[in-house]
Amino acid sequence: MPHNLIIIGSGPAGWTAAIYAARAELKPVLFEGPEPGGQLMTTTEVENFPGFPKGILGSELMANMREQAKRFGTEIISDNVTAVDFSARPFKVTAGTNVHEANSVIISTGATARRLGLESEKALYGKGVSACATCDGFFFKGKQVIVVGGGDAAMEEACFLTRFADKVTIVHRRAEFKASKIMQERALANPKIQVIWNSAVEEILGVDIGHVTGVKLKDTVTGETRDMAIDGVFAAIGHEPTTALFKNILDLDEKGYIKTAPDSTCTSIQGVFAAGDVQDAKYRQAISAAGSGCMAAIEAERFLA
Amino acid sequence: MEHEFTDQNFQNEVLKSKVPVLVDFWAPWCGPCRSMAPIIEELANEIGEDKLKIGKCNVDENSAVAGQFNVMSIPTFLVFQNGKVVEQFVGSVQKVAVKDKLARFIS
């Protein structure tokens, strides 16, 4: 017997879809994927999710959503989906060697943080290169770190890291930030934060020693390079939708986001819905992801009726 | 059963252990650590202690050990055998992948 609904991904969109679908007695099955809880698991305090006037830890918010989805009977599978077949119904969703069938699917695989894309970055991951400021800031007590980027995430990480590091340098490839005014002001007013404008990280130094010792910076205007001694490197340079599984299966836009019909979560295949950051290059908020997860569950319910 | 390793007992419980030991370096503020916690606990219950000892080490309370083994990112997982690090991995990992990494110690 195929399932009514499989949900792929466990961020705010996935859990909200699960809560709605489970309450509608669809007995949804949710695959948590490689990073359970999604991007909020690596943020600090979430201050803009309605209902939490004092803010809530990202990881706590996600634990709450999971518990709520479970309470109404969501079947949670802690595994990665490795392939999908949407060519006929029931749809097939493969996780490792297990093939699951479902009459409808909600994709909420979200987006993942973009990396600098350097070999030295890979080699030094966990050795001074970090993908999670909230997890690893602690290890940079009294040290000096850089944050690469110019958006809200870069400002937030830089501010957070000043709790531990002596000095935080934001390295940005342009002459101005694109972060919101409030976040920029917060960062620029912090005496521990300085900014290096018009610069990009060309290489992370220290591969031979086994931990980060510095970076090679390139001036994006003059092309000049220089070395800078540093203990830690954090990158906050945007996100990419997690859609590799759906290439050539669903219609994607030029940036790789899943295309959905206007005012809807319907994808190019009937019965397959997409919610959250995986289809949203514009808002990318926890609350908008949750909202579209709700829409997807209601649309799936109507589709199955 | 899952063990708790500290600055005080690390020498005896981990470095001098007769069987290999998997240590989960974590902290309460770390989201990915929290999502790994149930997986590590399950493995600790599934794998016999005569083959592999499994436990966690809170880096917040035990900074000496974390520093000694250059833990700079959490969760970090280190496998010790005869007092030496013989396997390490960092970040959120699926249960099957953890099992794969431990396979050579528990066969």
Side-chain angles (χ1 to χ4, degrees):
Chain A
M1 264 281 278
H3 300 293
N4 293 314
L5 170 65
I6 284 178
I7 300 167
I8 309 173
S10 58
W15 288 127
T16 306
I19 291 165
Y20 271 79
R23 292 193 74 246
E25 297 189 340
L26 295 181
K27 297 190 171 62
V29 174
L30 182 143
F31 286 87
E32 287 195 287
E35 286 167 29
Q39 294 171 61
L40 280 188
M41 297 298 281
T42 59
T43 62
T44 44
E45 205 82 22
V46 179
E47 292 179 337
N48 55 10
F49 203 92
F52 299 93
K54 290 178 184 138
I56 181 168
L57 277 181
S59 55
E60 212 169 307
L61 179 62
M62 297 322 296
N64 287 349
M65 288 192 195
R66 187 182 196 274
E67 196 187 317
Q68 196 174 352
K70 207 172 168 181
R71 175 181 155 210
F72 295 111
T74 303
E75 185 188 333
I76 301 169
I77 300 181
S78 300
D79 207 349
N80 288 342
V81 171
T82 46
V84 293
D85 180 355
F86 296 155
S87 59
R89 278 205 297 270
F91 303 125
K92 290 188 180 66
V93 172
T94 306
T97 52
N98 299 323
V99 182
H100 301 258
E101 290 185 336
N103 290 319
S104 66
V105 173
I106 293 175
I107 299 165
S108 50
T109 49
T112 41
R114 196 174 285 147
R115 304 263 194 270
L116 298 170
L118 305 169
E119 279 305 314
S120 50
E121 176 188 31
K122 246 187 244 163
L124 292 167
Y125 179 64
K127 312 261 179 226
V129 175
S130 170
C132 173
T134 48
C135 307
D136 303 340
F138 171 80
F139 300 103
F140 296 90
K141 268 184 200 150
K143 300 197 173 175
Q144 309 202 346
V145 301
I146 62 165
V147 174
V148 186
D152 275 354
M155 303 302 119
E156 192 197 320
E157 292 211 345
C159 289
F160 176 76
L161 287 166
T162 59
R163 293 192 204 178
F164 308 100
D166 274 354
K167 197 169 101 187
V168 177
T169 305
I170 301 175
V171 174
H172 187 45
R173 55 196 328 18
R174 294 177 223 290
E176 58 188 300
F177 291 138
K178 67 169 194 257
S180 63
K181 210 167 162 235
I182 180 173
M183 296 301 288
Q184 285 198 38
E185 279 169 2
R186 228 183 253 183
L188 295 171
N190 191 313
K192 280 185 170 181
I193 293 179
Q194 66 162 53
V195 183
I196 299 182
W197 304 102
N198 295 321
S199 288
V201 175
E202 270 226 316
E203 206 61 69
I204 299 171
L205 309 173
V207 176
D208 44 339
I209 299 174
H211 64 88
V212 172
T213 57
V215 285
K216 186 185 283 296
L217 296 180
K218 183 178 182 177
D219 190 306
T220 54
V221 179
T222 64
E224 278 169 37
T225 63
R226 64 173 169 121
D227 289 356
M228 175 185 182
I230 212 81
D231 305 301
V233 178
F234 295 80
I237 50 171
H239 293 87
E240 272 161 16
T242 313
T243 49
L245 276 179
F246 313 110
K247 233 174 229 170
N248 304 321
I249 294 178
L250 295 173
D251 286 354
L252 308 180
D253 73 9
E254 62 282 1
K255 284 182 179 162
Y257 290 87
I258 295 175
K259 280 191 188 171
T260 49
D263 299 324
S264 150
T265 62
C266 296
T267 67
S268 53
I269 293 178
Q270 224 189 350
V272 177
F273 306 89
D277 284 11
V278 75
Q279 50 84 54
D280 171 20
K282 193 172 169 189
Y283 304 108
R284 296 177 305 177
Q285 301 300 304
I287 189 68
S288 52
S292 71
C294 158
M295 287 165 62
I298 291 174
E299 286 181 306
E301 190 189 348
R302 289 189 185 147
F303 168 79
L304 292 167
Chain B
M1 191 198 80
E2 199 176 31
H3 291 258
E4 187 110 17
F5 302 129
T6 63
D7 282 350
Q8 287 73 36
N9 73 11
F10 209 83
Q11 178 80 12
N12 281 329
E13 288 285 325
V14 178
L15 300 179
K16 287 185 177 166
S17 169
K18 291 197 171 62
V19 294
V21 188
L22 170 71
V23 183
D24 169 9
F25 289 92
W26 74 290
W29 69 78
C30 152
C33 299
R34 286 193 189 187
S35 46
M36 285 305 290
I39 294 176
I40 299 304
E41 198 180 330
E42 277 170 37
L43 288 170
N45 292 329
E46 287 168 21
I47 298 171
E49 268 198 47
D50 50 327
K51 291 186 173 140
L52 180 80
K53 207 194 264 188
I54 296 179
K56 47 210 279 186
C57 180
N58 182 330
V59 298
D60 211 0
E61 293 161 1
N62 303 287
S63 51
V65 172
Q68 188 183 346
F69 295 99
N70 287 323
V71 174
M72 291 178 85
S73 185
I74 46 174
T76 281
F77 302 91
L78 300 180
V79 179
F80 290 84
Q81 196 167 28
N82 302 320
K84 294 216 167 59
V85 177
V86 289
E87 174 72 77
Q88 60 177 312
F89 47 102
V90 176
S92 275
V93 187
Q94 294 283 306
K95 189 176 174 185
V96 272
V98 179
K99 269 187 155 170
D100 277 354
K101 294 200 189 281
L102 299 179
R104 65 183 165 119
F105 303 107
I106 55 182
S107 54

